[in-house]
């Protein structure tokens, strides 16, 4: 990723020539010719490097330097001072400038120092990314909400049992996969973490993917292949969207959970694996059992440890810490320095319902990091209501299904108003603007309530 540079100098000839040379060196250059233009440029996008002249039409760059450092502490500053003005150079270094150049500035000298500063920035970024990766591998951000604290405490106890199945239940996007990885990380010296989305593969491929196959088991099986159950031996196999498993495969999974044994597709030899099964779904598995789409005995077996993952709207205390952690991860992935939230953005985060849970939060932050170039994240998409529909009013009147005749909709509305007023018929008639006999006639025409 190229280094962004803001060149602040009111000499149009010099700034144009310097910008051209720096651009040829791979810098993304913007030019400001006054402190007013500088402030506007900094508000639009935080640069990696600023070359700041002292003598500007509307002020002293050296006086402005503390303001710049306070606003963008991670930005590197090269100060330009008058020839022989050692006192100003020393003052600039003390105020936070990395280096200084004396006028008249040699373009080659400027390019060399800018290149050196860019190399230092890239090295610091690589070190920060490495530290971020190492931290992410060894710890999970501590939640503040009591519900998530209880969830993590439960997982810590579950981690002491090596093979017992775990069932993670919760809405889509609540972070069930992250919790499965956390459970895996809690046990030291164990095998691999292996994940599969049961809804992502066709039924014909799922058995081979899970349990493997022998050569010749089907047309394209030219060699034998180990399945994920074998690969995850001594580790953890995470079955995401387990409610989508076909019934025939549910029986084979149940056998594996009971005995730790399985056969590859097309094979006759019984194999064993010590993989722990952690399953997750956002479906109501009891309802799936009642509908005949999920085996009741498999549900019982998976539910040795049942963990309900609360949605983000029920743990508002976690929103800001989680958002800050996600920004650090995303900045590492995007190759940019971390960006703080503005006070307005924090208010938007705290007031937004996040129907898509943690996954939606991550998407909102990634979009803001790409589209917002200022020194702070504003999260304007949340201010505009972008991302999800507003919460539905539970008292709202709605008619689902195909279009209906108007008189039928009127009858439904009469009953709706009566229910909202607790069955008080006279009040309902007044609220509807109907005479009582007319109200009763409409009510008698209404279908009986279920």
């Amino acid at each position: 990723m190229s280094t962004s540079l803001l060149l602040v100098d009111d000499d149009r000839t010099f700034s144009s020539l310097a910008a051209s040379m720096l651009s040829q060196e791979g810098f993304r250059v913007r030019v400001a010719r006054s402190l007013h233009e500088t402030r506007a440029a900094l508000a639009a996008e935080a640069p990696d490097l600023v070359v700041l002249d002292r003598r500007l039409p509307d002020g002293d760059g050296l006086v402005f330097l503390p303001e710049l450092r306070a606003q963008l502490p991670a930005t590197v500053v090269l100060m330009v001072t008058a020839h022989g003005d050692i006192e100003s150079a020393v003052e600039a270094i003390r105020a936070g400038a990395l280096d200084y150049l004396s006028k008249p500035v040699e373009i080659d000298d400027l390019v060399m120092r800018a290149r050196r500063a860019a190399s230092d920035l890239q090295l610091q970024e690589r070190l920060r990314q490495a530290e971020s990766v190492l931290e992410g591998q060894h710890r999970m951000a501590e939640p503040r909400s009591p519900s998530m604290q209880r969830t993590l405490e439960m997982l810590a106890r579950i981690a002491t049992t090596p093979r017992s199945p775990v069932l993670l239940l919760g809405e889509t996007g609540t972070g069930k996969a992250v919790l499965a990885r956390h459970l895996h990380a809690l046990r030291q010296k164990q095998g691999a973490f292996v994940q599969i989305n049961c809804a992502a593969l066709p039924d014909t491929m799922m058995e081979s993917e899970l349990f493997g196959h022998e050569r010749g088991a089907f047309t394209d099986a030219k060699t034998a292949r180990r399945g994920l159950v074998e690969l995850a031996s001594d580790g953890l196999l995470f079955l995401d969207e387990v409610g989508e498993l076909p019934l025939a495969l549910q029986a084979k999974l149940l056998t594996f959970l009971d005995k730790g044994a399985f056969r590859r597709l097309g094979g006759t030899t019984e194999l064993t694996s010590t993989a722990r099964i952690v399953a997750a779904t956002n479906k109501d598995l009891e309802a799936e059992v009642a509908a005949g789409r999920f085996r009741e005995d498999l549900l019982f077996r998976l539910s040795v440890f049942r963990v309900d993952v609360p949605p983000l709207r029920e743990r508002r205390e976690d929103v800001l810490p989680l958002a800050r952690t996600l920004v650090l991860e995303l900045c590492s992935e995007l190759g940019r320095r971390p960006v703080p939230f503005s006070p307005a953005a924090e208010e938007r985060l705290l007031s937004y319902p996040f129907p898509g849970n943690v996954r939606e939060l991550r998407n909102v932050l990634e979009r803001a990091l790409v589209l917002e170039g200022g020194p702070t994240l504003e999260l304007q998409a949340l201010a505009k209501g972008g991302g999800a529909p507003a919460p539905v009013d539970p008292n709202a009147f709605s008619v689902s299904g195909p279009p209906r005749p108007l008189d039928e909709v009127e009858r439904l509305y009469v009953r709706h108003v009566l229910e909202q007023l607790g069955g008080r018929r006279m009040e309902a008639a007044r609220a509807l603007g109907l005479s009582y006999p007319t109200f009763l006639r409409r009510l008698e025409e209404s279908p009986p309530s279920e």
Side-chain angles (χ1 to χ4, degrees), residues 1-2 125 128-129 326-337 339 362 365-371:
M1 184 174 180
S2 60
E125 179 63 21
R128 192 192 62 76
Q129 289 181 15
L326 289 173
V327 163
L328 290 176
E329 293 178 4
L330 288 166
C331 285
S332 178
E333 293 176 11
L334 296 171
R336 61 176 295 184
R337 293 194 303 277
V339 186
R362 182 184 177 89
L365 296 175
E366 183 173 0
R367 184 166 60 246
L369 284 169
V370 172
L371 299 180

Side-chain angles (χ1 to χ4, degrees), residues 30-219:
R30 292 178 296 156
V31 176
R33 296 189 169 91
S34 66
L35 290 181
H36 175 74
E37 290 183 10
T38 301
R39 291 188 177 95
L42 295 177
E45 180 183 355
D48 299 310
L49 178 62
V50 174
V51 178
L52 179 61
D53 192 10
R54 178 168 184 182
R55 307 296 181 187
L56 295 167
D58 53 351
D60 188 336
L62 187 56
V63 174
F64 173 70
L65 180 57
E67 177 186 333
L68 190 159
R69 296 290 299 150
Q71 182 181 349
L72 301 172
T75 294
V76 173
V77 179
L78 301 180
M79 195 77 205
V80 178
T81 64
H83 178 68
D85 191 355
I86 301 300
E87 183 179 347
S88 292
V90 172
E91 189 176 348
I93 298 298
R94 287 175 177 170
L98 175 69
D99 203 350
Y100 70 93
L101 301 96
S102 297
K103 284 192 170 182
V105 177
E106 296 290 338
I107 299 295
D108 291 343
D109 188 32
L110 171 59
V111 170
M112 181 194 69
R113 295 183 192 229
R115 196 188 301 142
R116 184 190 303 159
S119 296
D120 290 344
L121 283 170
Q122 291 167 5
L123 177 59
Q124 292 172 15
E125 179 63 21
R126 285 196 296 270
L127 289 172
R128 192 192 62 76
Q129 289 181 15
E131 290 172 356
S132 177
V133 170
L134 289 173
E135 288 179 3
Q137 289 175 344
H138 292 91
R139 67 179 180 85
M140 180 178 177
E142 287 293 329
R144 295 182 182 176
S145 64
S147 59
M148 276 304 289
Q149 288 174 354
R150 288 192 296 269
T151 297
L152 292 190
E153 289 170 2
M154 185 176 183
L155 289 177
R157 292 193 294 271
I158 292 171
T160 62
T161 63
R163 273 208 76 232
S164 301
V166 180
L167 180 60
L168 301 173
L169 299 174
E171 297 177 6
T172 182
T174 49
K176 298 184 287 293
V178 174
L179 291 176
R181 285 188 178 276
H182 178 67
L183 176 62
H184 176 258
L186 288 173
R187 284 185 60 82
Q188 302 296 322
K189 297 181 180 178
Q190 62 171 329
F193 177 91
V194 181
Q195 177 175 349
I196 183 173
N197 188 323
C198 300
L201 291 174
D203 295 354
T204 53
M205 294 180 59
M206 183 60 70
E207 182 176 357
S208 171
E209 194 72 19
L210 278 178
F211 298 105
H213 60 257
E214 298 292 352
R215 180 180 179 183
F218 49 88
T219 304

